[in-house]
Amino acid sequence: MTELFGLRRPELGMPWYEFGLCAATPSVRMHAGFFTLSGVADLSAADAADTVVVPNRPDPDVPPGAAVLDAVRRAAARGARLVSLCTGAATLAAAGVLDGRPAATHWRWADAFAQRYPAVRWQPDVLYVDDGDVLTAAGSAAALDLGLHLIRLDHGADVANAVSRRLVFAAHRDGGQRQFVRLPVPATPDTGLAPVLDWARERLDQPLTIVDLATRAAVSQATLHRWFRAQLGTTPLSWLTAERTTLACRLIERGEPSLDRVAQLSGLGTGANLRAQLRRATGLSPAAYRQRFGPAVPGPRAPATPTGAANAGGH
């Protein structure tokens, strides 16, 4: 979050976030004592933040402190945007602000948290959950995805893409994407799929079939399915649909005015299929996606939304 919200970004030519750290104690041991944060503000700083970010807890089995829970409850009561990272969702759950709501957390803790906080609708297979004023990320990499998602919400896709380029990070992974928790890392890279994936990405506007992919890879359809399952954790058809949906999102973000043209260029074919796939992937209609992530309409920008990080050390 510091990389996303705490660094000055004069190249954007716009006001940026006011970022600060606060905790229940003036110094916080991090990562089993590997380093210590010192001189952080007290928890009253969270009372002035429009967005309060709760980081992961060093030991999720240790209950959050009463002062931290009170700070979270005060933020929720006044309508602040609440964000948790990884096991930080347990802090929000312990404060009661996730009751009855969907939430993401790291897959290692999903079962334990489901037993400990049964009122929460845990989503164990997603990268992050955007439930309006409460957003939760599954892990460290997913926290970057969620952070970029917040920047997209606050400032639009162009700004989020500029920040992601500075970080050398993917501009967007949909929050509903699976965490890929059970895929083994191969001992040696298997590049068998790489050429056919690149080939297909260059032809998404064409009527590609599984037969076409298998023929290009010079393997049977059964072998192609095994490769996709082993290397990507999905099927060829699901991968193709996801790539086309991602391309459709990029086209909308870049300002393509015709949704029929977006459907054609992305290979989704029809406006009806575009609407169905975009809603399945993002929860938004094409029109709503354009309004949220399309090119900004010329005119004065809304002021930046300040953000603060509450409970920097998770105590």
Side-chain angles (χ1 to χ4, degrees), residues 151-161 248-257 259 262 278 284-298 301:
I151 293 173
R152 290 160 66 88
L153 292 176
D154 294 341
H155 298 293
D158 288 344
V159 173
N161 290 341
C249 290
R250 298 295 84 80
L251 291 169
I252 293 173
E253 291 168 11
R254 294 168 189 164
E256 172 56 52
L259 293 180
V262 169
L278 202 64
L284 300 172
S285 68
Y289 191 91
R290 185 197 304 281
Q291 183 177 14
R292 182 173 295 187
F293 300 124
V297 177
R301 284 186 179 272

Side-chain angles (χ1 to χ4, degrees), residues 99-289:
D99 287 357
R101 306 184 74 150
T105 191
H106 196 285
W107 61 268
R108 283 187 59 193
W109 294 95
D111 290 341
F113 287 173
Q115 295 179 9
R116 194 177 306 168
Y117 306 109
V120 181
R121 291 158 46 203
W122 296 105
Q123 311 289 308
D125 283 342
V126 300
L127 296 176
Y128 61 84
V129 170
D130 178 349
D131 195 38
D133 57 339
V134 178
L135 303 94
T136 50
S140 299
L144 286 174
D145 289 308
L146 178 54
L148 287 169
H149 175 68
L150 291 170
I151 293 173
R152 290 160 66 88
L153 292 176
D154 294 341
H155 298 293
D158 288 344
V159 173
N161 290 341
V163 174
S164 70
R165 286 194 296 270
R166 281 287 301 272
L167 295 176
V168 194
F169 191 75
H172 178 257
R173 290 192 299 171
D174 176 64
Q177 182 172 322
R178 294 178 61 86
Q179 293 183 36
F180 300 111
V181 297
R182 295 180 180 85
L183 294 186
V185 177
T188 57
D190 185 345
T191 58
L193 270 180
V196 72
L197 297 183
D198 291 340
W199 177 83
R201 288 190 181 103
E202 294 175 356
R203 295 163 174 79
L204 292 175
D205 60 332
Q206 301 177 21
L208 297 175
T209 66
I210 307 308
V211 173
D212 294 330
L213 297 180
T215 300
R216 180 67 184 182
V219 297
S220 68
Q221 293 184 55
T223 296
L224 187 74
H225 274 272
R226 285 197 298 272
W227 282 6
F228 268 82
R229 283 294 187 188
Q231 296 180 46
L232 300 179
T234 188
T235 66
L237 181 59
S238 294
W239 176 85
L240 195 57
T241 300
E243 288 292 316
R244 284 173 163 158
T245 304
T246 298
L247 176 56
C249 290
R250 298 295 84 80
L251 291 169
I252 293 173
E253 291 168 11
R254 294 168 189 164
E256 172 56 52
S258 168
L259 293 180
D260 287 338
R261 179 69 173 161
V262 169
Q264 177 186 353
L265 291 174
S266 64
L268 292 176
T270 65
N273 193 35
L274 170 65
R275 286 189 292 275
Q277 298 303 334
L278 202 64
R279 188 173 292 280
R280 181 177 294 113
T282 68
L284 300 172
S285 68
Y289 191 91

